[in-house]
Amino acid sequence: MAFLRYLAVHASARNRGLGRHLLNDALQTVRADGWAHAGYPYLGLVFEVERPGEAETDAERTIRERRIGWYVRNGARLYPNVDLTTPPVSPDQPPVSYHLMFRAAVPKRMVGRTLRRMMVESVLVHGYGAAPDSRYVQRAMAG
């Protein structure tokens, strides 16, 4: 699967279907890359979203809730029980907690612990460089 680091549409260009187009284009790329590199389509996109309950303001909470809602309306699934905490991106930064989401690129998808392990490893190990046996990976897999 692929780790989607960031997807955004400038505020002046929103509500025109551009975000959906970008997401669908990313999914097509994931399928094509899978065929090219592995001989089968990759499962989909895994990504993190900020937790609404940890927002510092009501306005920020609303933005986070809308973002999650947009991804759900566009076929993604939220995994709120995965305790995803990323390692610090630099020594002076704290770890950050996120929700994990997944958007399938192929109709048949894996479920359960295998899918969870693949999503967590895609984000934390391959995306952030955490060790597979790190506390971050163990914590996300424990839920």
Side-chain angles (χ1 to χ4, degrees), residues 1 43-52 68 71-72 75-85 97-105 108-120 123 139-141 143:
M1 67 182 59
L43 293 175
L45 294 169
V46 62
F47 50 97
E48 61 209 8
V49 290
E50 296 161 317
R51 296 178 182 183
I68 290 170
Y71 279 117
V72 169
R77 182 172 175 200
L78 178 68
Y79 291 83
N81 296 329
V82 176
D83 189 4
L84 183 72
T85 302
S97 297
Y98 293 99
H99 282 312
L100 191 65
M101 295 191 80
F102 179 74
R103 174 58 167 87
K108 184 179 180 183
R109 43 169 224 209
M110 302 171 80
V111 294
R113 250 182 116 67
T114 302
L115 179 61
R116 176 184 289 209
R117 168 136 325 262
M118 291 175 74
M119 291 188 300
V120 167
V123 173
R139 182 177 179 168
M141 289 302 300

Side-chain angles (χ1 to χ4, degrees), residues 1-141:
M1 67 182 59
F3 173 35
L4 178 66
R5 285 198 179 265
Y6 192 76
L7 177 72
V9 173
H10 191 275
S12 65
R14 290 186 186 143
N15 299 313
R16 298 181 194 167
L18 296 174
R20 184 176 25 217
H21 178 74
L22 287 171
L23 184 61
N24 289 333
D25 189 57
L27 289 165
Q28 288 177 347
T29 300
V30 166
R31 285 190 288 271
D33 284 355
W35 281 112
H37 298 292
Y40 52 85
Y42 292 147
L43 293 175
L45 294 169
V46 62
F47 50 97
E48 61 209 8
V49 290
E50 296 161 317
R51 296 178 182 183
E54 295 180 11
E56 293 184 12
T57 66
D58 288 342
E60 181 60 31
R61 186 186 72 251
T62 299
I63 289 169
R64 293 176 181 194
E65 289 169 347
R66 289 184 65 202
R67 183 177 299 125
I68 290 170
W70 183 87
Y71 279 117
V72 169
R73 286 190 307 278
N74 283 279
R77 182 172 175 200
L78 178 68
Y79 291 83
N81 296 329
V82 176
D83 189 4
L84 183 72
T85 302
T86 61
V89 294
S90 66
D92 59 329
Q93 296 292 317
V96 180
S97 297
Y98 293 99
H99 282 312
L100 191 65
M101 295 191 80
F102 179 74
R103 174 58 167 87
V106 293
K108 184 179 180 183
R109 43 169 224 209
M110 302 171 80
V111 294
R113 250 182 116 67
T114 302
L115 179 61
R116 176 184 289 209
R117 168 136 325 262
M118 291 175 74
M119 291 188 300
V120 167
E121 287 178 352
S122 292
V123 173
L124 295 177
V125 176
H126 302 292
Y128 284 92
D133 61 347
S134 71
R135 65 185 172 107
Y136 300 104
V137 172
Q138 290 175 3
R139 182 177 179 168
M141 289 302 300

